[in-house]
Amino acid sequence: MRHAIELDEYTLQVEITDLTDIPPNPSSWDSPEDYHGCRELEFSVISGEVYDEDGNATDLGRNGCAAVSEMHAELIEELLWQIIDGEKEDAAIARAESRRDWEAA
């Protein structure tokens, strides 16, 4: 999954390479991850641009993407989780609407 992330003066194309999103299950005693849930993701910055004060874009290149990724890893991950949670919420709303339409028919 690729996503565009706007971060300060950067616009990054980020690809999620690994995603684990297990909701908590308080009735499970199998493992702490099952009981508490587990949310992990790994990402890679594919490309990016940096904008100067005048709004001119410059390509970051491979080394620039790696540096920005390392410097802002926690913030990028937080923004990706916001996108993922938003997509899940949109999907739940769409399912509820289709279920409502089906029941009304």
Side-chain angles (χ1 to χ4, degrees):
M1 293 185 285
R2 288 190 181 188
H3 300 282
I5 300 287
E6 292 187 20
L7 177 69
D8 296 331
E9 67 270 14
Y10 305 104
T11 300
L12 307 172
Q13 291 297 318
V14 180
E15 181 175 15
I16 297 174
T17 56
D18 189 34
L19 176 66
T20 303
D21 190 7
I22 301 170
N25 182 358
S27 65
S28 175
W29 290 86
D30 293 336
S31 71
E33 289 80 18
D34 291 332
Y35 183 82
H36 296 290
C38 179
R39 292 187 84 174
E40 297 177 359
L41 69 82
E42 294 179 9
F43 65 88
S44 177
V45 176
I46 304 300
S47 64
E49 294 179 326
V50 61
Y51 292 89
D52 63 12
E53 305 85 36
D54 298 326
N56 300 319
T58 304
D59 186 34
L60 286 173
R62 187 182 327 172
N63 291 336
C65 288
V68 170
S69 176
E70 186 174 322
M71 187 169 37
H72 297 289
E74 292 178 7
L75 184 55
I76 294 170
E77 184 173 338
E78 181 180 326
L79 293 171
L80 287 171
W81 278 118
Q82 289 175 6
I83 292 169
I84 291 166
D85 290 341
E87 289 174 349
K88 286 175 29 179
E89 186 176 310
D90 291 346
I93 291 170
R95 281 193 306 273
E97 288 176 353
S98 67
R99 191 176 309 121
R100 184 193 68 218
D101 293 342
W102 181 78
E103 289 173 356

